[in-house]
Amino acid sequence: MTTPSTLVSDSHIRTRFLIFSDTHGMKFSPENYPHHPVDVAIHCGDLTEESKIAEFRISLNLLKSLNASLKLVIAGNHDFTLDIPTFKRKVAEAEPSLEPDLVAKEYGTFGEVRGLFKEEEAKNAGIVFLDEGTHRFVLKNGATLTVYASPYTPSLGDWGFQYHPEKGHTFSIQDGTDIVITHGPPKGIMDLTHSRERAGCPDLFAAVARACPRLHCFGHIHEGWGAKLVTWREKISEIPSHFADIDNDKSVVIETLRGFRYSKVDEDKTEAASEKQNKTRLCTEGICRYTSHCIGDHNQLLGGSQTLFVNAATQGDEEYPVQLPWLVNIELPKATIDDYDRDLARSVTVSSMGKITKEST
């Protein structure tokens, strides 16, 4: 396995990502934390199960422990206290009425959870909470990173950051975006539920298909865990869909739960069954599923025509409670002097770790 931050060409740098989602306040023992050194760690939302302030502190401790200089975080639907209008509405509509002191003790005051991500200890650990929009970084390894983030998912429920499926949602992904981080999947890609329904968002799929980022990571649909390198059709439809705009003959499934988990239908003595048993065992040992898509790799990612999709839902089911986070290598553009000068001219902040950030919504 190569080390992170390897220059692969005069214009691009191999950059390593550690990707989580849906940890739901799970407590990891220190020996089970992923200790792999990476350039960027990403959490795709649902840091909590009930959006309680104690759960956020558990997830922040996990993030602080990771060996990365930059850690990007978005909210999920379970993290409703980060969606302050929804939080206020849920408190106001509760029957019987809730005692303000009890709410504050369990969930924090309005805006208190957001404040946790702004505390000096979190900032010093490289943790950056991303609201919906485009965010730009110059990484410590010398690469530039343009991220589009969105916590919104379609639902008829009453959780955070959700919209009515029939009304849809606008995902304003700009051309030149390197990575899309969302809580939910796009429709048609690693979004199959146990009932075999497609739970992903068609608006999100359309926006990603048009922008063609290098990487799109998400979670939300736990049983959709896995990764797929998608090759796009040469011409994207006016209304993109997974039926018409993916060239399946040139796309590659990296991994799915079906190929990963050992089950009773596998014969104990086959080589494939033995491999599945070993993979399943690793789910509880702080190991990651690794995939690399740089120059010289077997599945080199072709920018502009391919996107690597990663469902990194970490919480599993009763039989397999923990699913592996993903360790991913892709290439990012190398920063130029103009990149630094342009960002500095816009009065961005330079951290002690050498990270430069610029955000716009």
Side-chain angles (χ1 to χ4, degrees), residues 19-149:
I19 308 172
F20 287 92
S21 188
D22 299 84
T23 51
H24 290 280
M26 290 190 294
K27 290 184 178 179
F28 294 83
S29 59
E31 63 270 17
N32 288 341
Y33 286 147
H35 295 296
H36 311 277
V38 297
D39 298 298
V40 183
I42 297 173
H43 196 300
C44 304
D46 276 2
L47 296 96
T48 68
E49 181 67 25
E50 298 179 283
S51 207
K52 292 184 176 181
I53 197 163
E55 295 178 301
F56 280 106
R57 290 195 172 104
I58 290 170
S59 292
L60 280 165
N61 285 336
L62 168 64
L63 291 165
K64 291 172 187 176
S65 75
L66 302 178
N67 190 357
S69 59
L70 177 62
K71 301 153 187 181
L72 304 179
V73 186
I74 67 168
N77 56 298
H78 279 258
D79 309 320
F80 64 83
T81 51
L82 289 166
D83 184 348
I84 296 176
T86 295
F87 183 17
K88 289 182 176 180
R89 186 181 69 250
K90 288 174 78 71
V91 172
E93 295 176 351
E95 292 289 347
S97 298
L98 300 174
E99 292 291 335
D101 289 346
L102 181 61
V103 172
K105 179 181 178 181
E106 294 293 326
Y107 299 95
T109 57
F110 302 131
E112 184 175 351
V113 169
R114 282 180 170 264
L116 295 178
F117 293 91
K118 298 177 182 179
E119 290 180 353
E120 202 66 28
E121 188 177 352
K123 291 164 64 176
N124 289 340
I127 298 172
V128 179
F129 179 77
L130 304 179
D131 281 308
E132 183 170 56
T134 296
H135 308 260
R136 297 183 176 89
F137 303 87
V138 176
L139 304 181
K140 188 176 181 180
N141 71 353
T144 62
L145 172 62
T146 301
V147 173
Y148 175 82

Side-chain angles (χ1 to χ4, degrees), residues 19-22 42-46 74-75 150 152-153 179-192 200-201 204-205 208 215-228 230 307-314 323-324 326:
I19 308 172
F20 287 92
S21 188
D22 299 84
I42 297 173
H43 196 300
C44 304
D46 276 2
I74 67 168
S150 177
Y152 288 92
T153 53
I179 295 179
V180 172
I181 306 172
T182 59
H183 180 54
K187 187 167 186 178
I189 300 179
M190 293 178 292
D191 64 336
L192 274 177
C201 176
L204 179 56
F205 179 92
V208 172
L215 171 65
H216 180 190
C217 52
F218 47 87
H220 190 47
I221 306 303
H222 298 202
E223 56 268 47
W225 179 95
K228 182 176 183 179
V230 163
T307 298
L308 176 66
F309 290 89
V310 174
N311 182 327
T314 305
Q323 299 172 170
L324 296 188
W326 281 87

Side-chain angles (χ1 to χ4, degrees), residues 328-342:
V328 176
N329 285 346
I330 62 171
E331 297 165 22
L332 291 178
K334 183 180 179 182
T336 65
I337 292 177
D338 288 342
D339 290 321
Y340 289 100
D341 289 345
R342 184 163 48 248

